[in-house]
Amino acid sequence: MENGGPHVSIVTAQVDGYGVELERTFFLGYVPEWAAAPFAAMLEARATAFAMALPGAILAEIDRAVRAVIARHGYGDCITIAQATASGSPATKALRGARR
């Protein structure tokens, strides 16, 4: 791996019909200049989700709020799927879209 990034690490598992996935986007040494703005957008979107993730919260409302943060930062067109999947989370797509 080289300094900078982004680098994406994905771990998946299936047991007795249940599937789980963990995806992390990270940088080594520094965040490249072109990635700073989408990374900041992702941090704000994540903070929004964490603040709303309370008992009884409606997931669709959290999703709408997170997507609104991402769109407000200009990366709404980077969300091209209904839900996050391996290599397809909104944050990862925003980082990829930032290089356009």
Side-chain angles (χ1 to χ4, degrees):
M1 292 183 165
E2 298 175 7
N3 276 338
H7 302 285
V8 179
S9 173
I10 302 170
V11 177
T12 62
Q14 278 194 324
V15 177
D16 295 330
Y18 292 94
V20 64
E21 141 183 336
L22 174 68
E23 176 181 333
R24 293 292 180 259
T25 302
F26 61 97
F27 300 91
L28 295 176
Y30 67 96
V31 176
E33 186 176 325
W34 64 265
F39 192 71
M42 180 278 302
L43 290 176
E44 183 181 338
R46 183 177 70 171
T48 297
F50 285 174
M52 294 177 71
L54 301 170
I58 297 171
L59 293 177
E61 292 175 4
I62 296 172
D63 183 66
R64 273 192 294 277
V66 166
R67 289 170 184 260
V69 169
I70 292 168
R72 190 176 72 248
H73 283 274
Y75 303 106
D77 62 330
C78 296
I79 302 173
T80 59
I81 54 175
Q83 70 185 63
T85 59
S87 296
S89 74
T92 301
K93 287 190 175 282
L95 284 167
R96 288 187 186 132
R99 281 198 157 167
R100 6 176 184 171

